[in-house]
Amino acid sequence: MTINEEMFQWGMFFLPDRLDRRFHLLRLIILFLMILLTLPVAAFGAGKPVVVASTTQIADFAREIAGDRLVVRSILAPGADPHTYQPTPNDVQVVLSASLCLENGLNLEGKNWMGALAHDAGKELVTVSRGVAPLQLGKEGQVVPDPHAWFSVQNAAIYVNNIVEAMGRLDPAHAAEYQARGALYLQQLRVLDAWIRDEAGRIPPSRRILVTTHDAFNYFCRDYRFNPNNRYQSIAPVGWSTGAEVGGGMTPKRHQQVVDSIRRSGARAIFVETTINPKQIREIAQETGVAIGGELYSDSMGKAGSAGESYIGMMRENVLLIVQALK
């Protein structure tokens, strides 16, 4: 049969009925596959409950527990500072999609931005630091809880237990799975904690002086016995927050206190942080004549593909860097 113009309509062949039906079926299959290829990856999680975490660390804990049962999203991107973060319209849409929201609490999310997002969207909000005995910091005549509790691996285990419980309430049919994944991850945290203690033990006590940009490492210093002459608390020019909250920000008085403390301590190195402009700490390094030991993960994990893209990875890389600079 010769093809002619009458055999075309809107660019399609008219064939005998059986061939025509097969041809249309083939076209539909091809069209469907093309649509799938153009969809964003997130669309493949459609239909699964969404869990939204405020920080990268909490999101990582949540993914370890959720497996493929839930979609986990983080408001903060790697390298973002939770103290100074300003939510965006996209964040509002992300929280509106959530079945469950997770925050650190203890004033980490500056001006309670995660609480406000969840409240405005009418979503359940779980504070994963619930049950932590927070360190208390006296700043400017007031006492505030130290929000960086995850830097104690034992506190991270409390976070995990709270997330397991919250996911079990959200999805009771698969609660046993969340508990099993949580139990496995807790074993990994116990190994991590023991490994950090062994690695820290390689640094002579007199050299175990940890100086960072802001007070993110108090729990780390307490658990792993750094800064004995500072009551096992971190030495930092900026307070517990990098924002405008009580205890946050550099002052001339605090700058001088830190400079004097570094000089007295005999610190071998001081460290910058991935979430904070290094300008201030570099100025102090120059003023005190102490070398920069490297860049530590603090309020955020590393970007995807980096050694610090997970909680265990960021803790591992921090410890290796600290030991190398101070031993």
Side-chain angles (χ1 to χ4, degrees):
M1 183 173 59
T2 304
I3 298 174
N4 57 50
E5 292 182 0
E6 294 179 352
M7 296 176 63
F8 286 87
Q9 182 176 356
W10 303 102
M12 295 171 57
F13 291 114
F14 282 97
L15 300 175
D17 288 345
R18 184 177 296 177
L19 291 177
D20 186 49
R21 286 195 298 271
R22 291 179 180 176
F23 182 77
H24 281 292
L25 179 60
L26 178 60
R27 289 184 71 252
L28 287 172
I29 292 172
I30 294 172
L31 180 61
F32 177 72
L33 293 174
M34 291 175 65
I35 291 172
L36 285 180
L37 291 173
T38 61
L39 286 175
V41 174
F44 289 95
K48 297 181 182 179
V50 175
V51 177
V52 176
S54 59
T55 72
T56 56
Q57 289 92 343
I58 297 172
D60 187 56
F61 296 149
R63 291 189 184 102
E64 290 287 344
I65 298 161
D68 290 330
R69 291 291 179 189
L70 309 170
V71 175
V72 178
R73 296 174 179 164
S74 174
I75 295 293
L76 291 186
D81 184 344
H83 299 291
T84 59
Y85 187 72
Q86 297 291 327
T88 68
N90 184 65
D91 297 333
V92 175
Q93 294 302 313
V94 170
V95 172
L96 283 171
S97 74
S99 299
L100 173 68
C101 294
L102 306 174
E103 69 166 358
N104 184 86
L106 300 176
N107 299 310
L108 178 73
E109 294 88 355
K111 299 181 181 179
N112 193 33
W113 54 261
M114 188 63 187
L117 284 170
H119 179 268
D120 291 345
K123 303 297 182 176
E124 179 186 2
L125 177 66
V126 172
T127 301
V128 297
S129 63
R130 177 176 53 85
V132 167
L135 294 173
Q136 300 296 318
L137 302 175
K139 304 294 182 186
E140 300 177 12
Q142 299 188 42
V143 176
V144 295
D146 186 338
H148 307 90
W150 67 88
F151 270 114
S152 164
V153 178
Q154 295 178 16
N155 284 343
I158 294 175
Y159 283 38
V160 168
N161 283 325
N162 286 331
I163 296 170
V164 168
E165 180 183 339
M167 288 184 177
R169 290 197 309 270
L170 173 65
D171 182 19
H174 301 106
E177 286 188 21
Y178 304 133
Q179 292 166 3
R181 291 191 192 96
L184 175 60
Y185 191 61
L186 289 174
Q187 290 185 29
Q188 296 176 38
L189 292 181
R190 284 191 285 272
V191 171
L192 174 66
D193 182 57
W195 177 82
I196 294 174
R197 294 180 190 279
D198 288 344
E199 287 295 306
R202 297 174 57 197
I203 307 172
S206 61
R207 296 183 181 178
R208 218 172 289 175
I209 311 299
L210 184 61
V211 182
T212 59
T213 307
H214 85 302
D215 282 329
F217 290 84
N218 285 312
Y219 294 93
F220 182 89
C221 290
R222 179 200 64 186
D223 283 11
Y224 307 113
R225 316 312 286 169
F226 284 80
N227 298 341
N229 295 330
N230 195 44
R231 297 174 291 133
Y232 297 104
Q233 292 188 355
S234 64
I235 300 172
V238 179
W240 67 268
S241 169
T242 58
E245 299 91 348
V246 173
M250 169 80 84
T251 65
K253 180 180 179 181
R254 186 174 181 88
H255 176 97
Q256 191 58 48
Q257 288 174 340
V258 170
V259 167
D260 293 342
S261 180
I262 292 171
R263 286 173 172 162
R264 289 193 305 269
S265 71
R268 294 173 63 86
I270 60 180
F271 299 87
V272 298
E273 299 175 32
T274 56
T275 57
I276 303 174
N277 189 320
K279 181 175 182 293
Q280 291 175 333
I281 202 73
R282 291 188 186 281
E283 290 175 351
I284 288 176
Q286 186 174 7
E287 188 173 348
T288 59
V290 178
I292 295 291
E295 189 176 55
L296 301 177
Y297 298 105
S298 59
D299 288 344
S300 176
M301 301 187 313
K303 63 184 180 180
S306 70
E309 68 175 334
S310 68
Y311 172 77
I312 289 177
M314 68 167 274
M315 294 294 285
R316 178 193 65 230
E317 297 306 306
N318 279 356
V319 169
L320 291 174
L321 189 65
I322 290 168
V323 170
Q324 182 180 8
L326 300 184
K327 70 179 180 180

